[in-house]
Amino acid sequence: SEMAATSSGRSSRPKKVVKGGTTSTRKHRFQSFNQRIAKLNIDPLHKTRRADITELNEDDPTASYFKTDLDRWKDLNLSENFSNFAREITPLCDSLPQVVHYHADIAKILTNYIGKGDAQSLEPLLSLLASFAHDLASNFEVHFSDAVTSVISLAAKHPEVEVIEWSFNCLAWLFKYLSRLLVPDLRPLLRIMSPLLGKEPQKSFTIRFAAESMSFLVRKAALTYHKNRKPLENAVNFILEQVDEVDVQGRSVSQYYHGLKTLLVDAIKGIDRGLHSSGSTLYNCLAEGILCGKLATEGRMEVLEGVTVGLIHHTEVSTFQPLLEVALRRIQQGIQQGPALISSCTPLDVCERLLCVLSTVRKGSRIQEWGPMLDVLLSLLRVREEQDTKPTTSLLEAAAVIMQSAPLDALISAIRPIMDRVVNNQNQDQFLVFCDLSCELDKERFDTLIRPYFAKFLVSHWKTQQRRLCLRLPDIVGASSTAKVSCPAAWEHEIVNLFNLAEKSGEEKSIADCYNYLEAFRSMDVSTSTTEAVFQIMQSMLHFALKSPSHVCHKTIFSLGAGFKACAEHGTTFDHKGLWCSSSLAVEYYKTLPLFLEGILVSLQTETAIPEALLDHLVDQMTENLYSASHMLRDLSLQIIKIAYMKAFGSEAEILTTALTIESMPLDLKSARTISMYVRKLVSQYKDVNIHRWLRKAVPYFCFGMQTFKLSPLWDDAIE
């Protein structure tokens, strides 16, 4: 039925326990595929030379990296596939001139053997491909596309972890050796690498490794930015155009966005939670292309947000400052832009979203100087006011976090101008969201700085914001008697009229408003006359519902549920004979309504003289709830039986206390043994020959209820 509480409400899937222990010191031990993948780091590029290649004699013009590497691998790898390769390639590479002369044949043979995908021979073959590129330098350009395509295919499809690592390391070395050739225009390479970066479905680690391999070249382009702006600008613009392209095509873009964000973050990051020397330059170029361009699409903004979030997580307070300065400067420039001509986001929206990311990620812990943040926030609010448009949710979230996180000495002079604009008439709906968020972040600071503005807002706008205020008052203000907000007299009169309308019409909308106001009453400072008038109406509704409890409607459920509980807590006197006497129809019909049971529990505690016959019938009805699957019903019913027992006999029943202890314990493996102990205690108490008949009936019902506990070890204990 509508009233029945069918969910236990307290059991949930147990959290997965992560086993600890001493880290193994054995060199050879089993590791899963995911563990081995997680340990890989495609970053050979900080080395000036490959450690596996012997230093060449620089005075010898015929020395070849390819020849040296081949001689070394002949001794290290004796697999059949590599032996066949070595036999075929050796006559073509005795010296560097010979390698250059036969470069087309060598490239063809290498590509052919790599394409076979033999895991035992791929490490030397991929190493030799990098050495081959090292020897040829710019002459390798004619083979570059085929070589990269074959290695990409290998990296994306091969099941062995080691092959994946060798493939991406090979790509990284190729990019390093050919960086002078590639950096002036990275667009062709980015187009080739786009499938690995997520433009086509890939595994997450493949995307990460591809981004790490490419990041070196993007970083190189950023290093030359002060001399030549074109390489970096072309690369960044190509990335943003790719974002627009996949967005327009309507394909699944999350993987590609993730790959591009990983590429940019890895290019900007430095060591020891710092930034690369060219990191600020690259971030500035990216922000300029989005915030100051005429095309500010949702996809572009998602990439910028993702890069910013990744860098905030990577950096510390001191190392993040250069990026913060770049972002705030670009936001100020974006504020001055007019609306985009062809975009899904105006530059103002984009600026507000970036400010939100800067201030909210890690609760603004990377911000050292809050003055510039406050200046940008005020600028955005001022522009919104001048344009007579509503600020976005992102801007309000940023304002709330900045108001809660900024030190008071920096904030004190900006409070009034910020709040005056946030409380603007255009922002009535959003102001409550702002207050709700501010209160959730820091209740104490909300009470100090924002509560006076909230009180003024309530007085001025209660008529148009009644429902929203009722819903949010309990969270924003709380139920403390000292924290209640004063209610205007006109609103009090409106509340009384609303309850009168609900009593007469019983309309669903009016009843829903009554529910809201009952919760809001706990946070409102209402006059005594208004309070008494409201509770008089609810008592009248309750008595009417008791006369015909079988007539189920919204009004009856409210009267015998939330209304009954509120009246009981308020202290209104009831005719218990009308409630439990006669045929006790109300209890029979509504014993599965938790709010009704809460009302009975409160009124039962305050009542002094209740006939035993009424208590006997009440206990019988509550006993039937004990085999329910609902934790709430079982708990409330046990409490009512316990209070009724005390009223009837003047002492507590220990067996009920034990049952309540079992009912209140969390259902997880940690508590299983303790609960079993209490179940055995319940059994021993039940064997007492002097136990009352109420308890003799209630305990077996409760044991059947324990069969619904989502903890199977207890089922056998309950049966036994």
Side-chain angles (χ1 to χ4, degrees):
S1 72
E2 251 183 27
M3 304 160 290
T6 57
S7 173
S8 68
R10 68 185 179 122
S11 61
S12 59
R13 187 187 297 274
K15 293 182 179 178
K16 184 177 180 180
V17 178
V18 180
K19 295 183 179 180
T22 306
T23 304
S24 174
T25 57
R26 291 179 297 171
K27 292 183 179 180
H28 302 287
R29 62 184 183 277
F30 173 78
Q31 289 182 315
S32 68
F33 179 84
N34 288 336
Q35 288 174 322
R36 291 154 69 196
I37 282 291
K39 292 176 67 176
L40 299 187
N41 181 27
I42 311 302
D43 189 23
L45 306 174
H46 287 106
K47 306 171 185 176
T48 57
R49 298 181 185 275
R50 288 201 293 169
D52 57 353
I53 292 186
T54 310
E55 291 276 353
L56 295 187
N57 184 0
E58 295 181 359
D59 296 330
D60 184 1
T62 64
S64 165
Y65 285 102
F66 185 84
K67 170 65 175 174
T68 305
D69 205 13
L70 178 63
D71 290 341
R72 185 176 67 88
W73 280 112
K74 283 180 181 178
D75 296 331
L76 295 177
N77 192 298
L78 301 178
S79 65
E80 182 181 357
N81 193 56
F82 184 71
S83 298
N84 293 337
F85 166 80
R87 195 177 304 114
E88 189 173 347
I89 205 76
T90 300
L92 308 177
C93 59
D94 281 340
S95 63
L96 180 58
Q98 199 173 15
V99 170
V100 174
H101 180 73
Y102 291 110
H103 67 88
D105 295 331
I106 294 174
K108 184 178 180 180
I109 295 170
L110 262 175
T111 306
N112 180 40
Y113 276 90
I114 289 174
K116 293 180 180 180
D118 177 45
Q120 294 180 342
S121 61
L122 278 173
E123 183 179 11
L125 290 173
L126 291 169
S127 175
L128 285 166
L129 179 61
S131 300
F132 184 50
H134 199 177
D135 276 343
L136 293 186
S138 60
N139 294 325
F140 189 75
E141 182 179 3
V142 294
H143 310 298
F144 179 75
S145 179
D146 292 339
V148 170
T149 302
S150 62
V151 176
I152 284 175
S153 176
L154 199 66
K157 298 177 182 178
H158 207 284
E160 295 293 333
V161 176
E162 292 79 5
V163 174
I164 296 170
E165 182 179 15
W166 300 332
S167 301
F168 281 110
N169 274 325
C170 175
L171 283 177
W173 284 112
L174 287 177
F175 297 157
K176 179 174 182 180
Y177 294 146
L178 303 174
S179 59
R180 291 185 180 179
L181 177 68
L182 297 172
V183 166
D185 189 359
L186 289 173
R187 290 173 293 183
L189 179 59
L190 285 167
R191 186 175 288 107
I192 294 172
M193 292 291 290
S194 60
L196 274 189
L197 289 170
K199 197 171 183 179
E200 295 177 1
Q202 300 288 352
K203 295 178 181 177
S204 58
F205 59 82
T206 302
I207 296 173
R208 175 169 68 90
F209 295 155
E212 289 176 357
S213 302
M214 274 289 299
S215 62
F216 168 76
L217 295 176
V218 179
R219 197 179 296 133
K220 275 275 192 180
L223 282 170
T224 62
Y225 186 77
H226 64 287
K227 295 180 181 178
N228 184 3
R229 299 165 62 98
K230 283 295 180 183
L232 182 61
E233 289 180 348
N234 288 340
V236 170
N237 289 335
F238 180 82
I239 289 172
L240 298 179
E241 288 167 5
Q242 287 285 293
V243 170
D244 299 335
E245 180 184 323
V246 296
D247 207 5
V248 169
Q249 291 173 355
R251 293 184 296 177
S252 177
V253 296
S254 58
Q255 270 200 332
Y256 195 35
Y257 284 176
H258 175 68
L260 295 177
K261 287 183 281 188
T262 305
L263 169 63
L264 294 168
V265 169
D266 204 66
I268 296 172
K269 288 193 308 185
I271 59 174
D272 297 331
R273 300 180 67 83
L275 302 175
H276 190 266
S277 57
S278 63
S280 298
T281 303
L282 175 52
Y283 186 80
N284 178 62
C285 188
L286 176 67
E288 182 182 14
I290 297 172
L291 296 179
C292 302
K294 289 186 177 180
L295 191 62
T297 61
E298 182 69 26
R300 291 186 174 204
M301 192 57 219
E302 186 176 332
V303 170
L304 179 60
E305 286 178 339
V307 171
T308 306
V309 170
L311 293 172
I312 290 174
H313 289 313
H314 170 74
T315 55
E316 297 175 337
V317 177
S318 58
T319 55
F320 184 66
Q321 292 314 299
L323 293 185
L324 180 62
E325 292 171 5
V326 169
L328 294 181
R329 185 172 68 251
R330 287 304 177 188
I331 290 175
Q332 288 285 21
Q333 293 175 358
I335 292 172
Q336 300 169 8
Q337 296 278 107
L341 299 177
I342 43 172
S343 65
S344 56
C345 304
T346 67
L348 202 59
D349 296 337
V350 173
C351 293
E352 291 171 355
R353 287 175 60 175
L354 182 56
L355 181 66
C356 180
V357 170
L358 293 171
S359 56
T360 57
V361 177
R362 290 190 173 267
K363 297 182 179 179
S365 59
R366 299 294 186 266
I367 299 171
Q368 195 169 27
E369 296 293 333
W370 285 91
M373 293 287 291
L374 291 166
D375 293 340
V376 170
L377 175 61
L378 272 171
S379 297
L380 289 167
L381 289 170
R382 192 178 298 116
V383 171
R384 285 293 184 186
E385 187 178 42
E386 292 170 358
Q387 294 181 352
D388 200 23
T389 56
K390 293 182 179 180
T392 60
T393 304
S394 297
L395 182 58
L396 292 177
E397 289 175 356
V401 174
I402 290 172
M403 291 285 285
Q404 303 303 321
S405 303
L408 284 176
D409 56 348
L411 186 62
I412 200 70
S413 60
I415 293 174
R416 182 180 293 276
I418 290 175
M419 291 306 302
D420 286 345
R421 288 173 171 83
V422 171
V423 191
N424 187 293
N425 286 334
Q426 290 286 337
N427 311 331
Q428 290 183 21
D429 300 347
Q430 295 170 306
F431 178 69
L432 291 177
V433 178
F434 168 80
C435 289
D436 201 7
L437 180 59
S438 300
C439 186
E440 184 181 343
L441 290 171
D442 189 338
K443 184 71 166 66
E444 184 177 346
R445 185 169 281 203
F446 171 83
D447 290 337
T448 305
L449 302 180
I450 302 173
R451 188 185 174 110
Y453 294 92
F454 175 75
K456 292 178 183 177
F457 176 86
L458 185 145
V459 172
S460 304
H461 302 290
W462 68 267
K463 200 172 187 68
T464 58
Q465 300 291 325
Q466 286 187 65
R467 284 198 177 87
R468 290 186 179 89
L469 283 169
C470 287
L471 290 171
R472 296 190 181 274
L473 269 175
D475 294 327
I476 294 176
V477 178
S480 171
S481 58
T482 58
K484 292 183 177 181
V485 293
S486 58
C487 182
W491 195 6
E492 292 187 19
H493 182 67
E494 185 78 16
I495 293 171
V496 176
N497 291 339
L498 186 145
F499 274 88
N500 272 320
L501 177 64
E503 182 187 15
K504 293 175 182 177
S505 67
E507 292 180 357
E508 184 178 353
K509 182 179 178 182
S510 300
I511 296 298
D513 288 337
C514 291
Y515 277 109
N516 293 337
Y517 273 110
L518 282 183
E519 288 298 318
F521 261 28
R522 304 172 188 272
S523 308
M524 298 168 66
D525 187 9
V526 183
S527 65
T528 305
S529 59
T530 300
T531 304
E532 292 303 325
V534 168
F535 280 101
Q536 191 66 36
I537 294 169
M538 284 199 297
Q539 188 173 359
S540 173
M541 294 168 68
L542 177 60
H543 284 305
F544 178 81
L546 289 172
K547 292 179 182 178
S548 54
S550 60
H551 177 60
V552 179
C553 62
H554 293 293
K555 179 180 175 181
T556 305
I557 294 173
F558 168 75
S559 302
L560 292 175
F564 180 25
K565 180 187 175 185
C567 289
E569 291 174 344
H570 183 62
T572 308
T573 304
F574 294 101
D575 177 14
H576 289 285
K577 290 183 179 180
L579 184 61
W580 294 320
C581 201
S582 303
S583 59
S584 298
L585 289 178
V587 178
E588 292 176 11
Y589 275 97
Y590 295 97
K591 64 186 177 185
T592 57
L593 183 63
L595 288 173
F596 178 68
L597 297 187
E598 289 179 20
I600 288 180
L601 183 61
V602 173
S603 59
L604 190 61
Q605 290 171 333
T606 56
E607 188 65 27
T608 54
I610 303 176
E612 185 176 346
L614 299 182
L615 287 176
D616 191 57
H617 184 72
L618 176 65
V619 170
D620 283 344
Q621 297 298 321
M622 294 301 101
T623 299
E624 293 182 9
N625 279 344
L626 295 181
Y627 63 77
S628 166
S630 168
H631 158 66
M632 185 179 292
L633 286 182
R634 292 193 304 267
D635 186 61
L636 287 170
S637 299
L638 283 171
Q639 292 185 58
I640 290 172
I641 295 172
K642 183 179 179 182
I643 298 296
Y645 190 91
M646 288 185 63
K647 295 288 184 183
F649 306 107
S651 62
E652 285 191 4
E654 291 186 6
I655 195 170
L656 291 175
T657 303
T658 304
L660 280 168
T661 302
I662 294 171
E663 189 62 45
S664 63
M665 296 193 73
L667 298 179
D668 53 37
L669 292 176
K670 293 180 181 178
S671 307
R673 294 185 65 182
T674 306
I675 298 176
S676 295
M677 180 188 71
Y678 278 108
V679 172
R680 290 193 295 272
K681 182 179 179 182
L682 189 74
V683 173
S684 63
Q685 291 172 332
Y686 185 73
K687 293 178 180 178
D688 189 344
V689 293
N690 296 321
I691 192 170
H692 191 267
R693 62 181 179 83
W694 288 355
L695 308 179
R696 284 210 172 275
K697 182 179 179 182
V699 172
Y701 273 70
F702 179 66
C703 288
F704 280 111
M706 282 195 286
Q707 296 298 305
T708 66
F709 283 15
K710 294 182 179 179
L711 191 64
S712 57
L714 296 182
W715 299 344
D716 293 337
D717 294 333
I719 292 172
E720 294 171 1

